[in-house]
């Protein structure tokens, strides 16, 4: 999930990212951070942190920014950011169905039918790694 404001925050940043703030400051890290986590028995468990904008979060994050190119350039140059968001976009969410040795591509996997029963009121990102789809 990519979240725009803390006013409607789910608390995930506080729980999963804020403990890393002292380390971010110590190493002077000013870039994106992606967290992969699972919730089990009412507690979040981190699987991994990534310091890149990848397939699972990059499109959502960049879509929410009013000037994504400026933000990326300023981040790369370690310049102060002026984050401005597109009005009306409060969050983005991505769901990855992974299996069969993910991230390795298998020639054949299970068919997963998707039925859209009404027009979406959000962006939909569908990533397929199978050749020919």
């Amino acid at each position: 999930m990519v979240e725009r404001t803390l006013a409607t925050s789910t608390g995930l940043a506080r729980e999963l990212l804020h403990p890393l703030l002292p380390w971010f400051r110590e190493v002077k890290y000013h870039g994106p951070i992606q967290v992969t986590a699972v919730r089990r028995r009412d507690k979040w468990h981190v699987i991994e942190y990534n310091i890149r904008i990848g397939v699972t979060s990059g499109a959502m994050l960049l879509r929410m920014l009013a000037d994504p190119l400026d933000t990326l350039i300023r981040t790369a140059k370690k310049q102060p950011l002026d984050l401005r968001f597109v009005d009306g976009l409060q969050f983005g969410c991505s769901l990855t169905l992974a299996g069969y040795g993910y991230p390795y591509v298998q020639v054949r996997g299970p068919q997963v039918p998707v039925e859209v029963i009404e027009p979406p009121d959000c962006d939909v990102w569908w990533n397929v790694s199978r050749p020919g789809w």
Side-chain angles (χ1 to χ4, degrees), residues 9-67:
S9 177
T10 59
L12 288 175
R14 183 176 47 257
E15 192 169 342
L16 303 176
L17 293 173
H18 289 195
L20 298 178
L21 286 175
W23 181 78
F24 289 151
R25 289 183 185 111
E26 180 183 331
V27 299
K28 297 178 176 52
Y29 182 74
H30 298 282
I33 185 78
Q34 175 184 322
V35 180
T36 303
V38 296
R39 188 163 176 90
R40 184 167 188 241
R41 296 188 182 127
D42 295 325
K43 181 172 174 37
W44 284 100
H45 302 272
V46 173
I47 295 173
E48 68 176 347
Y49 292 102
N50 282 313
I51 57 168
R52 61 177 172 74
I53 300 177
V55 172
T56 57
S57 64
M60 293 183 300
L61 175 60
L62 295 175
R63 168 73 169 91
M64 293 176 67
L65 294 173
D67 191 348

